[in-house]
Each structure stands twice: as structure tokens, then as C-alpha cells.
Amino acid sequence: MAGTEEQVWNRNELMHRIVSHKLLAPAAHDMMVDAPLIARKRKAGQFVIVRMRELSERIPLTIAGGDPIAGTIRLIYQEAGKSTMEMGLMKEGEFLSDVVGPLGKPTHIEKFGTVVCMGGGIGTGEILPVAQACALAGNRVISIVGARTKELLIVLDDVRETSAELLISTDDGSFGFHGFVTNLLQQLVDRGEKLDKVFAVGPVPMMRAACNMTRKYSIPTEVSLNPIMVDGTGMCGACRVTVGGRTQFVCVDGPDFDGHQVDFDELTKRLQAYRTLEKEAIEYWEKHRCLLEESHS
Ligand code: NAD
Ligand code: FES
């Protein structure tokens, strides 16, 4: 039904302008987006669901930061599939069709004492707001950040600024400690640090390894899970995980969970369920990439 002139909104006013869009590392992007209501409400650990266009795939992305006065939120994301690869082509000044959030429960932050914030790869962007909130709550924050190689390390200055100590690793030894973030966590334990809490965000094998380690020392450990999501509101069941033997929906019950209770085997299987389709979508995208590049130029 056609509306009156007053009811006909300028489409762009309802959409979310990309204020800045930078490459942090190969395939890792840092996007600031106009989303004033979300910027005012969001808390560490929460996420948004983004669609580039009305019929685009829905992409869940953790909110890495924001400015409530400027009305912007920060999204740090990795090109992991067709949709995020296409989003990587978007330019400053373009509009995202919709950004829904803040979704999920905020990370539970209190004065724990000494807190380790671990970020693996692109997960470093997600651990940053948690480290900032922990520092604000009066904790002594030790951050551990790792990537496969030096070029893939991101937001180090931001993490350093909020941490009493920052430890860095690379898998290939090109920067910092030669090894995994979990080796650095072990070093903290070995040097006699009393760790009151660990937050870990990154690839599933990293979070699982971190939990296996902290379980031995009874260090409470929170992980942020990123299963496949569709609606983000607890309706579709796509994000189902098992935690402590109970079914939980990550979008409404999480994304943070007690890592010692997470069924990582099931999570790994569910994440692999659509691998063939995802591969086909990437192949299609690669074939048609030049057309999409033109539409964003
Ligand atoms: P990556 O595979 O390059 O790993 C990053 C770091 O994690 C490594 O440098 C290493 O220090 C550590 N790590 C990896 N495997 C480990 C293991 N088996 N044991 C101990 N430490 C290990 O990471 P990436 O390519 O940047 O990450 C991509 C993955 O992270 C994707 O699968 C993505 O879905 C996931 N991710 C998760 C979240 C979340 O909320 N949990 C957020 C963003 C991305
Ligand atoms: Fe549908 Fe969580 S994404 S229930």
C-alpha cells in the first residue's frame, strides 16, 4: 500500500552508513557503522546481525567497540565466506541495509582480580571490548594475543592500551613468542601467577585447548561461541549448542558460556555441516567477483 508523502521515508535514513572501512590485515576488516541506538545500548560481548542488502545473507558479528556520542559501532570481521568477502568490497559512504542488535547477553564482568583476555586471530577484535570492560571494573588485565603470522596480528595498540601486560605469539615465530596463545597461558601459570578468570575468543581448537588447560588448574574460563546463526532471536535453532548437558541457543543464552561445560565436539561438527555449500558459494563468488566489484566502485 502506498504511503502519504510523510510516510515515505528516505530509504537511506533507515539504513546504516559505513563511516570508515579499513583493512587491518589480509582479509581482516575494521568497519565503523552508523547505528546510534545500538551504540548507546551495546555492552561487551554482544553482537549484531548485518545484512548488506534486503535479500542478503544475515551475518552475525561481535560488536568490537563504538562511540555512543557519534552513534557508531565498530565491527571487526574476517572474510570467511561469500557474504563477508562481498562485504569486504563495500566502501565508506555506502549503506548496509540493516543492522539488528545489540543481540545476546553481555559478558558478565565484575572485579575478579587478575584476568587473562586471550584473542586468537580475528578473535582479538572480539576480546578487545571484554579487556576494556574488565580494566574498567578494576581488574588487572593480562592480554594474550596470537596469530598465524606477524601480518595477521590485529589491534595490538588498542589491546596494549587497556592491559597491564600484553603477551604476543605467532605460530611461525615471525613476531613475539614462537607458538600458540595457550603456550603463553601456560607460561603465566608456570611463573606463579594467580589467575582468577580467563576469557578466550578465537577459533574453536584454541578455545578448546585453553579450556583443557585451565580445567587442570580450576581457573574459571569463559568462551564466546560463534556457531551458524539465522534469526539471532532464539526462534530457528540454528545456533544450538550443548553446555553442561543442556541445549542452549547461543544467540539468546550466550554467546558467552562456561568453557569447561561446552561440548566442543558437537560444536565442531555443526560448524562443518555446510562446508560443501560454503565452498560452492565461494567458487560462485570468485567467478562473479568482477561484476560485484563494479557495483561497489
Ligand atoms: P587461526 O586459525 O589463525 O588461529 C589464531 C590463533 O589461535 C593461533 O595463532 C593460535 O595462537 C591459536 N590457536 C589456533 N589453533 C590452536 C590450537 N589447536 N591450540 C591452541 N591454540 C590455537 O585463527 P583465525 O583464522 O583468525 O580464526 C578464524 C576462526 O575463528 C574462524 O573459525 C572463526 O569462525 C573463528 N572466530 C571465532 C570467534 C568467536 O566468537 N569465538 C570470533 C571470530 C572468529
Ligand atoms: Fe536462530 Fe539462535 S540463530 S535460534
Side-chain angles (χ1 to χ4, degrees), residues 4-37:
T4 64
E5 201 172 322
E6 291 77 34
Q7 287 170 323
V8 180
W9 292 60
N10 175 347
R11 184 80 188 126
N12 284 353
E13 282 173 14
L14 296 173
M15 293 163 88
H16 298 270
R17 194 170 65 89
I18 299 173
V19 178
S20 68
H21 198 187
K22 291 182 293 195
L23 201 61
L24 288 175
H29 298 261
D30 188 351
M31 188 189 254
M32 293 294 282
V33 180
D34 265 334
L37 297 178

Side-chain angles (χ1 to χ4, degrees), residues 78 120-122 126 147-148 171 180-182 201-203 205 207 209 224 226:
Q78 186 179 42
I122 198 74
E126 334 294 356
R148 269 170 276 140
D171 302 5
F180 284 168
V181 282
T182 42
V201 187
M207 294 190 288
S224 172
N226 67 325

